[in-house]
Amino acid sequence: MMQRESIESASNFVCRNRLPPRLKEQILAYTCLRFKAESLNQQQVIDQLPKTICKSIRKHLFLPTVERVYLFKGVSKEILMLLVADMKAEYIPPREDVIMQNEAPEDVYIIVSGEVELIDCKKEQEQVVGALRSKDMFGEVGALCCRPQAYTYRTKTLSQLLKLKTSALIEAMQTKRPESPDNVVMLKNFLQHHKRLKDPNIGDFWLDGVEEDGDPNMTINLLTVASTENAAFLDELLKAGLDPHNGDSKGRTPLGCPNKACLVQLCKHRCL
């Protein structure tokens, strides 16, 4: 009944405003897709079940997709299960803005199915600068770099997305596992992936004048990592052997970081 009423309301709107037939078809198609997306969303059903059953459902539905995402390659199954347990699946109809440009990095998303466009809204007209598909991830640059989102991410087709809170991702990365430094693995995956894409939004994570085939462990700019104020990241990278005395072309080093937690880690490793 609600769907019929919405379609009838949309039809009346089209008639009152004498919109052309093509636009009428688009409006009615979108209205139907929106209800289809709502009917496909099963989170309400999952939330009513016991936690143990919910965990098993999420493992069965989401883990195969999460394992193929670039950020989580080489990450332990234990950490992946922690992440999957906090994910929520959503079906989003076409032309919906999932993340807005310049908004705070509250969530990251993984595409299960469908297509999402990257849109630059800084200019007078919106410009599509890329497209993401199944197994791709978005929102992580803002989350891991503590920066406003660089683009608007808009669904192009009906899309199923896995949503993960930024705080849950950071918490999982800070989980201490001496036998498997998963936070270092994820950070390296992140930096290497966006370096290959030549992403200007994280270009300052790399030291000036470093060769492309150099050791990736030594090309990470600790100064910029320190500026994210993530002391756990910094601690693990220092343990991996990165030199806190390496700075940028202006002579600045991570030891000048104003964040107290990061500075404590830097000074501790400097003394060692």
Side-chain angles (χ1 to χ4, degrees), residues 42-138:
Q42 305 172 53
Q43 192 59 48
Q44 186 176 0
V45 176
I46 295 176
D47 289 341
Q48 294 175 351
L49 298 171
K51 288 185 177 180
T52 53
I53 297 179
C54 289
K55 186 176 180 180
S56 298
I57 291 173
R58 290 191 174 103
K59 178 181 178 181
H60 175 75
L61 294 177
F62 306 153
L63 188 59
T65 298
V66 173
E67 287 177 325
R68 295 188 182 98
V69 175
Y70 83 89
L71 187 67
F72 305 124
K73 290 182 178 178
V75 174
S76 66
K77 187 64 70 72
E78 179 182 340
I79 295 299
L80 291 181
M81 287 305 302
L82 286 175
L83 292 168
V84 166
D86 287 322
M87 289 181 180
K88 293 187 177 181
E90 298 180 351
Y91 276 92
I92 311 292
R95 308 302 298 168
E96 288 277 343
D97 290 341
V98 182
I99 289 178
M100 298 288 290
Q101 192 166 18
N102 296 321
E103 75 177 7
E106 297 180 354
D107 303 296
V108 297
Y109 293 85
I110 295 170
I111 303 174
V112 179
S113 62
E115 187 173 353
V116 175
E117 293 181 324
L118 289 73
I119 300 172
D120 189 350
C121 304
K122 292 179 182 177
K123 302 177 182 178
E124 294 181 0
Q125 294 183 346
E126 292 184 348
Q127 181 180 4
V128 178
V129 296
L132 302 172
R133 296 174 180 82
S134 178
K135 313 300 185 298
D136 285 333
M137 186 179 199
F138 62 93

